[in-house]
Amino acid sequence: MSLSPERANAALHEPGTTHAHGSRKGYATGSILSVVLTAIPFWLVMSGAVQDAQTTAFLIFGLALVQIVVHVVFFLHLNTRSEGGWTLLAFLFTAVIVFLTIGGSIWVMYHLNANMMPMPGNGVGNMSGMN
Amino acid sequence: MTEHALDGAAVRRTWHLAEEDQDHSTDGATLLGFWIYLMSDALIFASLFAMFGVVGASYAGGPTPREIFDLPLVALNTAFLLASSITFGAAMPHMEAGRVGATRFWLVITGLVGAAFVGIELYEFSHLIAEGATPQRSAFLSAFFTLVGTHGAHVTVGLIWIATLLVQLGRHGLTPAMKRRLMCLSMFWHFLDIIWIGVFTFVYLFGVIR
């Protein structure tokens, strides 16, 4: 009976497992990576280095996803051990919901818009820019 | 009788141990709870991003992103927010080592760079509104001002929080409670930088090339 709270505390408080206990080296690595990962998409769009807009879009979204992971790992210090794994679980759950919310909304609304009869003179026509 | 007394002692001892550890255990609970808050805040931003994704090209005959977005200004703004994340990172080792002065110094730098970010964003907004690109102009602009404005409001709250902790650090020094507050603020600040990655990619860069 008296063991269980202690065990729970031990799981929550293994040394060096709270969020802000990042090493200086981890911050340096994260900082360099995030500067590079920010500079590349701005350069891609501002210089027009890749002619095809769709390829550029794939590249900048890919780089954004990589940078989000870099920030979460090096700045927020998310790992499998912090708070006994609960922060990672909450993060993954949130990531799934975020993906479903954004992806699902855009997917459904795009098809709704694409399958709508074109009707001149009403608001629907204003959304045609989505295609 | 004896058994009863022993039980009582055991119970008392359990409570005593739990209380002895209380200061430490509320720390972990606070950080985990704050993490859960950040995740729910991420869901707010997810719904705003979804809204922007749906109506982001509904210009209603009004201005398009290519016409109104000033990418060099956005790049400068992005650099400011990223720099403030890095300077906050510089404050944390000083906090763990218990150096109040250095912690406050880096917090002040972070606050100033963060204030520059909010200032540039307000300049951008006023410039857009002066050009006629108001939130009422089109669904795209409504979604733009809602999403970017919500992020800017979060950063402003973060600035108030930084100022509060600077005053408290002067009064209390680096007590365990202050360290806990700084860790929460650190998570909040880095979280806002992560949201900004989505904003500059999805709203500004993708808006210009779509």
Side-chain angles (χ1 to χ4, degrees):
Chain A
M1 187 63 197
S2 68
L3 259 178
S4 60
E6 279 167 37
R7 253 191 216 150
N9 278 336
L12 286 170
H13 300 290
E14 282 164 35
T17 55
T18 45
H19 297 287
H21 287 247
S23 67
R24 211 178 267 261
K25 198 180 154 223
Y27 267 122
T29 313
S31 302
I32 294 166
L33 280 176
S34 60
V35 168
V36 171
L37 288 167
T38 304
I40 294 175
F42 270 97
W43 171 76
L44 273 176
V45 172
M46 288 167 82
S47 71
V50 181
Q51 289 298 313
D52 183 31
Q54 204 167 10
T55 313
T56 312
F58 273 119
L59 284 174
I60 62 173
F61 282 121
L63 287 164
L65 282 180
V66 174
Q67 196 183 351
I68 287 171
V69 172
V70 165
H71 278 235
V72 169
V73 170
F74 289 103
F75 291 165
L76 287 175
H77 310 297
L78 182 71
N79 56 45
T80 53
R81 285 160 289 117
S82 56
E83 309 294 353
W86 284 106
T87 49
L88 181 67
L89 202 63
F91 177 79
L92 292 177
F93 174 71
T94 309
V96 169
I97 302 291
V98 166
F99 175 75
L100 289 178
T101 309
I102 299 177
S105 301
I106 293 173
W107 184 46
V108 169
M109 294 307 289
Y110 172 78
H111 284 280
L112 189 69
N113 186 48
N115 294 324
M116 198 76 91
M117 287 282 277
M119 287 191 280
N122 71 9
V124 177
N126 291 333
M127 291 178 79
S128 62
M130 265 171 67
N131 300 320
Chain B
M1 272 307 270
T2 8
E3 236 180 36
H4 224 76
L6 270 176
D7 269 354
V11 168
R12 232 177 289 132
R13 199 161 146 246
T14 307
W15 280 110
H16 180 66
L17 277 177
E19 261 177 31
E20 209 171 55
D21 209 50
Q22 203 174 39
D23 193 41
H24 205 63
S25 74
T26 45
D27 259 29
T30 304
L31 292 179
L32 180 58
F34 196 76
W35 180 264
I36 304 287
Y37 155 70
L38 288 182
M39 294 301 108
S40 63
D41 216 10
L43 297 183
I44 292 179
F45 280 107
S47 57
L48 293 177
F49 273 112
M51 177 184 67
F52 186 86
V54 169
V55 301
S58 308
Y59 308 127
T64 61
R66 206 189 297 263
E67 290 162 9
I68 55 171
F69 288 160
D70 185 5
L71 280 190
L73 191 73
V74 178
L76 180 69
N77 226 359
T78 304
F80 273 141
L81 199 61
L82 184 58
S84 78
S85 233
I86 292 170
T87 55
F88 208 125
M92 296 315 277
H94 292 297
M95 181 207 80
E96 272 162 47
R99 290 188 286 268
V100 182
T103 309
R104 289 182 89 191
F105 171 78
W106 285 110
L107 268 187
V108 169
I109 301 286
T110 306
L112 289 177
V113 180
F117 171 85
V118 174
I120 290 179
E121 195 165 285
L122 287 177
Y123 164 78
E124 187 199 15
F125 280 6
S126 65
H127 198 70
L128 287 176
I129 290 168
E131 279 181 332
T134 61
Q136 296 96 319
R137 183 61 192 83
S138 63
F140 151 64
L141 283 165
S142 304
F144 166 79
F145 277 99
T146 310
L147 173 56
V148 182
T150 305
H151 178 270
H154 275 75
V155 177
T156 309
V157 170
L159 290 177
I160 296 169
W161 195 353
I162 287 179
T164 311
L165 286 195
L166 277 173
V167 172
Q168 287 189 331
L169 273 175
R171 285 195 186 162
H172 310 304
L174 278 165
T175 58
M178 286 306 298
K179 285 188 178 179
R180 190 187 65 225
R181 288 164 196 168
L182 280 166
M183 282 183 201
C184 286
L185 177 56
S186 161
M187 282 154 68
F188 185 67
W189 200 259
H190 290 312
F191 167 77
L192 291 182
D193 202 17
I194 292 174
I195 299 296
W196 187 254
I197 298 171
V199 174
F200 79 69
T201 304
F202 196 28
V203 176
Y204 290 102
L205 295 180
F206 183 61
V208 168
I209 59 170
R210 76 192 286 167

